[in-house]
Amino acid sequence: MTDQSGDNVLPEGALDRLKGTVTGDHRGIFTSDLSVNEFLLVREAGFEPVALVMGSCIYHVGIQYGKWSQNQEMDVLSQAMYSAREAAMSRMRQEAADVKADGIVGVRLEVKLLPWDTNLLEFIAIGTAIVHSSGSQAFKGPNGQPFTSDLSGQDFWTLLQSGHRPLEMVMGSCVYHIAHQGTMRSLGNIGKNTEIAIFSQALYSARELAMDRMQKEAMSVNAEGVTGVVVHEKNYNWDSHVIEFFAIGTAVVPINDESISPELAKPQVVLSVNG
Amino acid sequence: MLDRFKKAIEDLGDAAKAISHTVGSQMSPGQLDEAEVALQNEWLAVLPQSRLPKQVEQRLVDTGAKRLPWISTQKPIELTLAQSHGLRPLGMVNGTCWYHYGYSWTDGHKIAWDTALYRLIYEAQLMKAHAVVDIKFSNKALGQGGSEMDYMVTGTALGLNSSTVPTVPVLTTVSAMEFVRLLEVNLVPIGIAIGAAYDYMYYGFGGGMNTGFGNQNYNQWNTFGSGNVFGQGGILNQGGILNQGGMFGSFYNQEVVPLSNLANKVKNSAISQLKMAAMQQKGNYVLGNDGIFQIMPFDGQAMGQSGVLARQITMGTVLQDTNKSKNQLNTKHNGNILGIKAVLDLSDTSSLIQINV
């Protein structure tokens, strides 16, 4: 998909909406959900917002049962979560590519439950596409595609100040089935304060798979590291012993290209007096 | 146009499939293979020994040695500290402990969080970290919960350029930026302290004797192990407050003194424990918060008699003042309990911990 031109991929409505945003004429009004501070800092960093871009994917998550007494990854569910998130992200990235953006900031990747069908999940990715005012291509992400990041305008500015640029949002996900304990085992724990090692192991295994995947994704785009990582454990209408361990963050790389190195502001320590 | 749209969706679907296939090929099959079974068994064998499976330890060592990408829970602003203070992110570390609390909710929480924290320290040691910042506590129960849940501690390990690695890294709940601010005023966050306490009292023997306002029945308020602390009815229980028969049987406005006392006792006890924990780490200050406090009635079935239970868990970052020598501390704070001060948390977030009860 990455090497296709946008005209072949997006529906006409989307193209109409995106058209004109980079041409500089009066119809080219940009849209974005940036706050005033974010907008000014993105401009301060030498970028212009071009368009609010989004991708959506409603996904039917297949059915998989974990063996009752076994800790194991639910690979069908893991793949579903990956595929659907990736579809939403790539649609959003395609919209950004169509307006010739260098990247997307402030990406929010959300998963919503649909109340009328427990097997359906809605994945939404939305963010603001930005373009560098110098026309430099050096900010582009992997494969000449727009970079993606969940950094706010402020965080984007400070990231550049630290001498790094964003490459891509990377994820680590693992849906894991946690074994049930046998009745005798459970009864044995009544009244005791004790660790349940088999549950601890399940979470560790899920964590390990997710973090390993995140590091692999980061390595595949030659990132130095991943910043702003958020992790959560969630259950999306699954059996109560199934959890998703999910980590997401922005892969970054040091800026080596002199032409785009920002003039560094001297860091200053301030104490906020806001409660 | 519809066809074009359909084709677009299919193209995207193919792209997603290709990606998921790559990911999928790295995943274990539905049935566990021998390697997976062996790994699970290794987990179970090494967890009680406070270690991790070999391949997990290797990943952490490789991450700390920059052979793998670092992962940081920190905001990009903290990356500027590499230039200004030589402080770099090494990787994300965590500790987890799934704990069943039987005889004590409070002790169970404390032990579980301590265990998870030790495990986090071990991961940080493997990364050769100088400090772990942004430490967050969270817990989660399965389904309806019950008397067990997962206790997870996460944080970001930091390394200082060219300096000897301490045996135990400095631990702090604050961000790297705040960590540096503290260092600049000669305060070193050296660890995390946890204080937990609970107590309960039974309803009096006069239960059900609420016959109206001004009732002078004898409610006997007991605390565990110390008996009759609040005296026998009379003064404290005019009007039969908190009788089994009806919580607030009185028509008068009045403080429910036994409950106030119970709450104060438990809170003070938790803060004393917090101070003790900080003292053991040779700290001078604790940046704490008010943590979790719960007060609730319990019924007679579990405890023999009905009553009220109060419990408190509080946590904080222990600070060491490098301007003060140990001697100064002992003399200067003579008379002050243990030489430790509890101070208000002025951070933006109201609580360090999220809790599901």
Side-chain angles (χ1 to χ4, degrees), chain B residues 252-282:
Chain B
Y252 297 137
N253 281 343
Q254 58 192 305
E255 181 180 8
V256 188
V257 178
L259 289 186
S260 296
N261 286 345
L262 177 68
N264 276 312
K265 191 180 167 200
V266 166
K267 281 168 182 261
N268 279 319
S269 169
I271 293 173
S272 291
Q273 280 204 28
L274 185 74
K275 290 176 178 175
M276 285 290 287
M279 182 70 182
Q280 281 164 6
Q281 300 175 35
K282 300 191 169 43

PDB file of all heavy atoms in Angstrom, chain B residues 252-282:
ATOM      1  N   TYR B 252     -29.930  13.906  67.491  1.00  0.00           N
ATOM      2  CA  TYR B 252     -29.032  15.027  67.775  1.00  0.00           C
ATOM      3  C   TYR B 252     -27.954  15.162  66.716  1.00  0.00           C
ATOM      4  O   TYR B 252     -27.494  14.169  66.163  1.00  0.00           O
ATOM      5  CB  TYR B 252     -28.333  14.818  69.126  1.00  0.00           C
ATOM      6  CG  TYR B 252     -29.261  14.793  70.303  1.00  0.00           C
ATOM      7  CD1 TYR B 252     -29.081  13.842  71.301  1.00  0.00           C
ATOM      8  CD2 TYR B 252     -30.285  15.719  70.407  1.00  0.00           C
ATOM      9  CE1 TYR B 252     -29.920  13.813  72.389  1.00  0.00           C
ATOM     10  CE2 TYR B 252     -31.128  15.687  71.500  1.00  0.00           C
ATOM     11  CZ  TYR B 252     -30.956  14.729  72.492  1.00  0.00           C
ATOM     12  OH  TYR B 252     -31.781  14.700  73.564  1.00  0.00           O
ATOM     13  N   ASN B 253     -27.501  16.409  66.487  1.00  0.00           N
ATOM     14  CA  ASN B 253     -26.254  16.631  65.751  1.00  0.00           C
ATOM     15  C   ASN B 253     -25.101  16.304  66.680  1.00  0.00           C
ATOM     16  O   ASN B 253     -25.054  16.822  67.797  1.00  0.00           O
ATOM     17  CB  ASN B 253     -26.107  18.106  65.365  1.00  0.00           C
ATOM     18  CG  ASN B 253     -26.941  18.456  64.156  1.00  0.00           C
ATOM     19  OD1 ASN B 253     -27.377  17.577  63.425  1.00  0.00           O
ATOM     20  ND2 ASN B 253     -27.134  19.745  63.950  1.00  0.00           N
ATOM     21  N   GLN B 254     -24.200  15.460  66.271  1.00  0.00           N
ATOM     22  CA  GLN B 254     -23.050  15.181  67.130  1.00  0.00           C
ATOM     23  C   GLN B 254     -21.967  14.477  66.342  1.00  0.00           C
ATOM     24  O   GLN B 254     -22.230  13.782  65.365  1.00  0.00           O
ATOM     25  CB  GLN B 254     -23.469  14.310  68.302  1.00  0.00           C
ATOM     26  CG  GLN B 254     -24.094  12.987  67.877  1.00  0.00           C
ATOM     27  CD  GLN B 254     -24.765  12.287  69.028  1.00  0.00           C
ATOM     28  OE1 GLN B 254     -24.140  12.048  70.040  1.00  0.00           O
ATOM     29  NE2 GLN B 254     -26.046  11.988  68.889  1.00  0.00           N
ATOM     30  N   GLU B 255     -20.728  14.671  66.743  1.00  0.00           N
ATOM     31  CA  GLU B 255     -19.626  13.954  66.118  1.00  0.00           C
ATOM     32  C   GLU B 255     -19.698  12.494  66.536  1.00  0.00           C
ATOM     33  O   GLU B 255     -20.002  12.186  67.693  1.00  0.00           O
ATOM     34  CB  GLU B 255     -18.278  14.534  66.572  1.00  0.00           C
ATOM     35  CG  GLU B 255     -17.125  13.804  65.907  1.00  0.00           C
ATOM     36  CD  GLU B 255     -15.764  14.337  66.308  1.00  0.00           C
ATOM     37  OE1 GLU B 255     -15.702  15.173  67.229  1.00  0.00           O
ATOM     38  OE2 GLU B 255     -14.777  13.909  65.691  1.00  0.00           O
ATOM     39  N   VAL B 256     -19.415  11.611  65.582  1.00  0.00           N
ATOM     40  CA  VAL B 256     -19.356  10.193  65.939  1.00  0.00           C
ATOM     41  C   VAL B 256     -17.926   9.940  66.389  1.00  0.00           C
ATOM     42  O   VAL B 256     -17.061   9.512  65.622  1.00  0.00           O
ATOM     43  CB  VAL B 256     -19.746   9.316  64.745  1.00  0.00           C
ATOM     44  CG1 VAL B 256     -19.881   7.867  65.178  1.00  0.00           C
ATOM     45  CG2 VAL B 256     -21.066   9.796  64.161  1.00  0.00           C
ATOM     46  N   VAL B 257     -17.683  10.237  67.639  1.00  0.00           N
ATOM     47  CA  VAL B 257     -16.318  10.261  68.158  1.00  0.00           C
ATOM     48  C   VAL B 257     -15.574   8.933  67.972  1.00  0.00           C
ATOM     49  O   VAL B 257     -14.425   8.928  67.539  1.00  0.00           O
ATOM     50  CB  VAL B 257     -16.322  10.700  69.638  1.00  0.00           C
ATOM     51  CG1 VAL B 257     -14.917  10.677  70.201  1.00  0.00           C
ATOM     52  CG2 VAL B 257     -16.917  12.090  69.735  1.00  0.00           C
ATOM     53  N   PRO B 258     -16.185   7.792  68.249  1.00  0.00           N
ATOM     54  CA  PRO B 258     -15.430   6.548  68.067  1.00  0.00           C
ATOM     55  C   PRO B 258     -14.934   6.363  66.639  1.00  0.00           C
ATOM     56  O   PRO B 258     -13.824   5.895  66.420  1.00  0.00           O
ATOM     57  CB  PRO B 258     -16.454   5.465  68.428  1.00  0.00           C
ATOM     58  CG  PRO B 258     -17.446   6.149  69.276  1.00  0.00           C
ATOM     59  CD  PRO B 258     -17.532   7.552  68.775  1.00  0.00           C
ATOM     60  N   LEU B 259     -15.762   6.759  65.684  1.00  0.00           N
ATOM     61  CA  LEU B 259     -15.329   6.600  64.286  1.00  0.00           C
ATOM     62  C   LEU B 259     -14.205   7.571  63.965  1.00  0.00           C
ATOM     63  O   LEU B 259     -13.238   7.230  63.271  1.00  0.00           O
ATOM     64  CB  LEU B 259     -16.500   6.819  63.320  1.00  0.00           C
ATOM     65  CG  LEU B 259     -17.560   5.716  63.304  1.00  0.00           C
ATOM     66  CD1 LEU B 259     -18.567   5.986  62.195  1.00  0.00           C
ATOM     67  CD2 LEU B 259     -16.918   4.350  63.092  1.00  0.00           C
ATOM     68  N   SER B 260     -14.309   8.815  64.430  1.00  0.00           N
ATOM     69  CA  SER B 260     -13.231   9.786  64.224  1.00  0.00           C
ATOM     70  C   SER B 260     -11.937   9.245  64.805  1.00  0.00           C
ATOM     71  O   SER B 260     -10.876   9.307  64.181  1.00  0.00           O
ATOM     72  CB  SER B 260     -13.550  11.117  64.915  1.00  0.00           C
ATOM     73  OG  SER B 260     -14.677  11.704  64.330  1.00  0.00           O
ATOM     74  N   ASN B 261     -12.040   8.686  66.027  1.00  0.00           N
ATOM     75  CA  ASN B 261     -10.847   8.162  66.682  1.00  0.00           C
ATOM     76  C   ASN B 261     -10.247   7.008  65.898  1.00  0.00           C
ATOM     77  O   ASN B 261      -9.033   6.920  65.719  1.00  0.00           O
ATOM     78  CB  ASN B 261     -11.182   7.707  68.105  1.00  0.00           C
ATOM     79  CG  ASN B 261     -11.381   8.887  69.034  1.00  0.00           C
ATOM     80  OD1 ASN B 261     -11.000  10.009  68.698  1.00  0.00           O
ATOM     81  ND2 ASN B 261     -11.991   8.650  70.169  1.00  0.00           N
ATOM     82  N   LEU B 262     -11.128   6.131  65.432  1.00  0.00           N
ATOM     83  CA  LEU B 262     -10.650   4.980  64.657  1.00  0.00           C
ATOM     84  C   LEU B 262      -9.914   5.466  63.410  1.00  0.00           C
ATOM     85  O   LEU B 262      -8.806   5.011  63.099  1.00  0.00           O
ATOM     86  CB  LEU B 262     -11.835   4.089  64.269  1.00  0.00           C
ATOM     87  CG  LEU B 262     -11.502   2.871  63.402  1.00  0.00           C
ATOM     88  CD1 LEU B 262     -10.679   1.855  64.194  1.00  0.00           C
ATOM     89  CD2 LEU B 262     -12.768   2.205  62.874  1.00  0.00           C
ATOM     90  N   ALA B 263     -10.532   6.410  62.702  1.00  0.00           N
ATOM     91  CA  ALA B 263      -9.933   6.927  61.473  1.00  0.00           C
ATOM     92  C   ALA B 263      -8.581   7.562  61.756  1.00  0.00           C
ATOM     93  O   ALA B 263      -7.585   7.301  61.066  1.00  0.00           O
ATOM     94  CB  ALA B 263     -10.873   7.935  60.826  1.00  0.00           C
ATOM     95  N   ASN B 264      -8.537   8.394  62.797  1.00  0.00           N
ATOM     96  CA  ASN B 264      -7.289   9.070  63.128  1.00  0.00           C
ATOM     97  C   ASN B 264      -6.195   8.093  63.514  1.00  0.00           C
ATOM     98  O   ASN B 264      -5.042   8.236  63.114  1.00  0.00           O
ATOM     99  CB  ASN B 264      -7.509  10.051  64.284  1.00  0.00           C
ATOM    100  CG  ASN B 264      -8.025  11.373  63.769  1.00  0.00           C
ATOM    101  OD1 ASN B 264      -7.479  11.907  62.815  1.00  0.00           O
ATOM    102  ND2 ASN B 264      -9.080  11.883  64.364  1.00  0.00           N
ATOM    103  N   LYS B 265      -6.598   7.091  64.285  1.00  0.00           N
ATOM    104  CA  LYS B 265      -5.618   6.122  64.747  1.00  0.00           C
ATOM    105  C   LYS B 265      -4.988   5.387  63.557  1.00  0.00           C
ATOM    106  O   LYS B 265      -3.776   5.224  63.470  1.00  0.00           O
ATOM    107  CB  LYS B 265      -6.321   5.127  65.680  1.00  0.00           C
ATOM    108  CG  LYS B 265      -5.373   4.230  66.432  1.00  0.00           C
ATOM    109  CD  LYS B 265      -6.152   3.285  67.331  1.00  0.00           C
ATOM    110  CE  LYS B 265      -5.218   2.191  67.829  1.00  0.00           C
ATOM    111  NZ  LYS B 265      -5.972   1.039  68.293  1.00  0.00           N
ATOM    112  N   VAL B 266      -5.854   4.958  62.640  1.00  0.00           N
ATOM    113  CA  VAL B 266      -5.372   4.191  61.491  1.00  0.00           C
ATOM    114  C   VAL B 266      -4.495   5.064  60.596  1.00  0.00           C
ATOM    115  O   VAL B 266      -3.420   4.665  60.147  1.00  0.00           O
ATOM    116  CB  VAL B 266      -6.567   3.607  60.711  1.00  0.00           C
ATOM    117  CG1 VAL B 266      -6.129   3.100  59.356  1.00  0.00           C
ATOM    118  CG2 VAL B 266      -7.215   2.496  61.512  1.00  0.00           C
ATOM    119  N   LYS B 267      -4.945   6.302  60.357  1.00  0.00           N
ATOM    120  CA  LYS B 267      -4.172   7.194  59.489  1.00  0.00           C
ATOM    121  C   LYS B 267      -2.805   7.496  60.107  1.00  0.00           C
ATOM    122  O   LYS B 267      -1.778   7.469  59.430  1.00  0.00           O
ATOM    123  CB  LYS B 267      -4.925   8.502  59.249  1.00  0.00           C
ATOM    124  CG  LYS B 267      -6.034   8.365  58.208  1.00  0.00           C
ATOM    125  CD  LYS B 267      -6.922   9.584  58.212  1.00  0.00           C
ATOM    126  CE  LYS B 267      -8.051   9.440  57.210  1.00  0.00           C
ATOM    127  NZ  LYS B 267      -7.810  10.107  55.953  1.00  0.00           N
ATOM    128  N   ASN B 268      -2.807   7.778  61.397  1.00  0.00           N
ATOM    129  CA  ASN B 268      -1.543   8.077  62.057  1.00  0.00           C
ATOM    130  C   ASN B 268      -0.606   6.885  62.048  1.00  0.00           C
ATOM    131  O   ASN B 268       0.597   7.028  61.854  1.00  0.00           O
ATOM    132  CB  ASN B 268      -1.790   8.536  63.503  1.00  0.00           C
ATOM    133  CG  ASN B 268      -2.186   9.993  63.541  1.00  0.00           C
ATOM    134  OD1 ASN B 268      -1.616  10.795  62.819  1.00  0.00           O
ATOM    135  ND2 ASN B 268      -3.174  10.324  64.337  1.00  0.00           N
ATOM    136  N   SER B 269      -1.191   5.732  62.255  1.00  0.00           N
ATOM    137  CA  SER B 269      -0.385   4.524  62.261  1.00  0.00           C
ATOM    138  C   SER B 269       0.249   4.298  60.887  1.00  0.00           C
ATOM    139  O   SER B 269       1.416   3.923  60.780  1.00  0.00           O
ATOM    140  CB  SER B 269      -1.277   3.355  62.674  1.00  0.00           C
ATOM    141  OG  SER B 269      -0.624   2.163  62.454  1.00  0.00           O
ATOM    142  N   ALA B 270      -0.513   4.538  59.813  1.00  0.00           N
ATOM    143  CA  ALA B 270       0.023   4.355  58.457  1.00  0.00           C
ATOM    144  C   ALA B 270       1.144   5.351  58.187  1.00  0.00           C
ATOM    145  O   ALA B 270       2.177   5.009  57.605  1.00  0.00           O
ATOM    146  CB  ALA B 270      -1.089   4.514  57.425  1.00  0.00           C
ATOM    147  N   ILE B 271       0.954   6.589  58.638  1.00  0.00           N
ATOM    148  CA  ILE B 271       1.996   7.594  58.411  1.00  0.00           C
ATOM    149  C   ILE B 271       3.244   7.280  59.234  1.00  0.00           C
ATOM    150  O   ILE B 271       4.366   7.443  58.766  1.00  0.00           O
ATOM    151  CB  ILE B 271       1.451   9.014  58.698  1.00  0.00           C
ATOM    152  CG1 ILE B 271       0.391   9.371  57.655  1.00  0.00           C
ATOM    153  CG2 ILE B 271       2.567  10.049  58.679  1.00  0.00           C
ATOM    154  CD1 ILE B 271      -0.346  10.656  57.898  1.00  0.00           C
ATOM    155  N   SER B 272       3.040   6.767  60.466  1.00  0.00           N
ATOM    156  CA  SER B 272       4.194   6.350  61.263  1.00  0.00           C
ATOM    157  C   SER B 272       4.977   5.260  60.548  1.00  0.00           C
ATOM    158  O   SER B 272       6.203   5.267  60.522  1.00  0.00           O
ATOM    159  CB  SER B 272       3.743   5.796  62.618  1.00  0.00           C
ATOM    160  OG  SER B 272       3.238   6.823  63.401  1.00  0.00           O
ATOM    161  N   GLN B 273       4.230   4.331  59.962  1.00  0.00           N
ATOM    162  CA  GLN B 273       4.897   3.251  59.222  1.00  0.00           C
ATOM    163  C   GLN B 273       5.642   3.798  58.020  1.00  0.00           C
ATOM    164  O   GLN B 273       6.724   3.323  57.677  1.00  0.00           O
ATOM    165  CB  GLN B 273       3.866   2.248  58.738  1.00  0.00           C
ATOM    166  CG  GLN B 273       3.442   1.301  59.803  1.00  0.00           C
ATOM    167  CD  GLN B 273       2.918   0.018  59.185  1.00  0.00           C
ATOM    168  OE1 GLN B 273       3.317  -0.361  58.085  1.00  0.00           O
ATOM    169  NE2 GLN B 273       2.034  -0.638  59.900  1.00  0.00           N
ATOM    170  N   LEU B 274       5.050   4.790  57.371  1.00  0.00           N
ATOM    171  CA  LEU B 274       5.710   5.427  56.232  1.00  0.00           C
ATOM    172  C   LEU B 274       7.034   6.031  56.692  1.00  0.00           C
ATOM    173  O   LEU B 274       8.072   5.892  56.047  1.00  0.00           O
ATOM    174  CB  LEU B 274       4.781   6.507  55.665  1.00  0.00           C
ATOM    175  CG  LEU B 274       5.220   7.218  54.399  1.00  0.00           C
ATOM    176  CD1 LEU B 274       5.057   6.293  53.203  1.00  0.00           C
ATOM    177  CD2 LEU B 274       4.400   8.482  54.173  1.00  0.00           C
ATOM    178  N   LYS B 275       6.981   6.683  57.839  1.00  0.00           N
ATOM    179  CA  LYS B 275       8.199   7.286  58.395  1.00  0.00           C
ATOM    180  C   LYS B 275       9.227   6.222  58.739  1.00  0.00           C
ATOM    181  O   LYS B 275      10.420   6.391  58.479  1.00  0.00           O
ATOM    182  CB  LYS B 275       7.852   8.084  59.650  1.00  0.00           C
ATOM    183  CG  LYS B 275       7.070   9.353  59.384  1.00  0.00           C
ATOM    184  CD  LYS B 275       6.695   9.999  60.695  1.00  0.00           C
ATOM    185  CE  LYS B 275       5.952  11.309  60.464  1.00  0.00           C
ATOM    186  NZ  LYS B 275       5.476  11.864  61.751  1.00  0.00           N
ATOM    187  N   MET B 276       8.750   5.127  59.351  1.00  0.00           N
ATOM    188  CA  MET B 276       9.661   4.035  59.696  1.00  0.00           C
ATOM    189  C   MET B 276      10.373   3.528  58.447  1.00  0.00           C
ATOM    190  O   MET B 276      11.591   3.332  58.445  1.00  0.00           O
ATOM    191  CB  MET B 276       8.879   2.864  60.313  1.00  0.00           C
ATOM    192  CG  MET B 276       8.419   3.072  61.724  1.00  0.00           C
ATOM    193  SD  MET B 276       9.796   3.055  62.867  1.00  0.00           S
ATOM    194  CE  MET B 276      10.179   1.297  62.869  1.00  0.00           C
ATOM    195  N   ALA B 277       9.582   3.318  57.384  1.00  0.00           N
ATOM    196  CA  ALA B 277      10.147   2.790  56.147  1.00  0.00           C
ATOM    197  C   ALA B 277      11.177   3.766  55.582  1.00  0.00           C
ATOM    198  O   ALA B 277      12.237   3.367  55.084  1.00  0.00           O
ATOM    199  CB  ALA B 277       9.037   2.537  55.128  1.00  0.00           C
ATOM    200  N   ALA B 278      10.880   5.066  55.690  1.00  0.00           N
ATOM    201  CA  ALA B 278      11.807   6.083  55.186  1.00  0.00           C
ATOM    202  C   ALA B 278      13.071   6.111  56.046  1.00  0.00           C
ATOM    203  O   ALA B 278      14.186   6.257  55.552  1.00  0.00           O
ATOM    204  CB  ALA B 278      11.134   7.448  55.197  1.00  0.00           C
ATOM    205  N   MET B 279      12.868   5.949  57.344  1.00  0.00           N
ATOM    206  CA  MET B 279      13.984   5.942  58.293  1.00  0.00           C
ATOM    207  C   MET B 279      14.936   4.805  57.988  1.00  0.00           C
ATOM    208  O   MET B 279      16.155   4.965  57.996  1.00  0.00           O
ATOM    209  CB  MET B 279      13.395   5.788  59.702  1.00  0.00           C
ATOM    210  CG  MET B 279      14.393   5.807  60.817  1.00  0.00           C
ATOM    211  SD  MET B 279      15.084   7.453  60.994  1.00  0.00           S
ATOM    212  CE  MET B 279      16.251   7.155  62.308  1.00  0.00           C
ATOM    213  N   GLN B 280      14.354   3.631  57.706  1.00  0.00           N
ATOM    214  CA  GLN B 280      15.195   2.471  57.402  1.00  0.00           C
ATOM    215  C   GLN B 280      16.066   2.728  56.184  1.00  0.00           C
ATOM    216  O   GLN B 280      17.153   2.180  56.057  1.00  0.00           O
ATOM    217  CB  GLN B 280      14.322   1.235  57.157  1.00  0.00           C
ATOM    218  CG  GLN B 280      13.837   0.613  58.451  1.00  0.00           C
ATOM    219  CD  GLN B 280      12.679  -0.337  58.225  1.00  0.00           C
ATOM    220  OE1 GLN B 280      12.298  -0.615  57.089  1.00  0.00           O
ATOM    221  NE2 GLN B 280      12.111  -0.824  59.310  1.00  0.00           N
ATOM    222  N   GLN B 281      15.562   3.588  55.278  1.00  0.00           N
ATOM    223  CA  GLN B 281      16.360   3.891  54.084  1.00  0.00           C
ATOM    224  C   GLN B 281      17.272   5.085  54.316  1.00  0.00           C
ATOM    225  O   GLN B 281      17.872   5.604  53.388  1.00  0.00           O
ATOM    226  CB  GLN B 281      15.419   4.176  52.905  1.00  0.00           C
ATOM    227  CG  GLN B 281      14.511   3.015  52.576  1.00  0.00           C
ATOM    228  CD  GLN B 281      13.510   3.366  51.494  1.00  0.00           C
ATOM    229  OE1 GLN B 281      13.799   4.127  50.577  1.00  0.00           O
ATOM    230  NE2 GLN B 281      12.306   2.829  51.585  1.00  0.00           N
ATOM    231  N   LYS B 282      17.337   5.560  55.548  1.00  0.00           N
ATOM    232  CA  LYS B 282      18.183   6.697  55.915  1.00  0.00           C
ATOM    233  C   LYS B 282      17.758   7.976  55.184  1.00  0.00           C
ATOM    234  O   LYS B 282      18.586   8.755  54.740  1.00  0.00           O
ATOM    235  CB  LYS B 282      19.657   6.390  55.660  1.00  0.00           C
ATOM    236  CG  LYS B 282      20.148   5.190  56.462  1.00  0.00           C
ATOM    237  CD  LYS B 282      21.651   5.086  56.399  1.00  0.00           C
ATOM    238  CE  LYS B 282      22.198   4.073  57.383  1.00  0.00           C
ATOM    239  NZ  LYS B 282      21.447   2.814  57.467  1.00  0.00           N
TER     240      LYS B 282
END
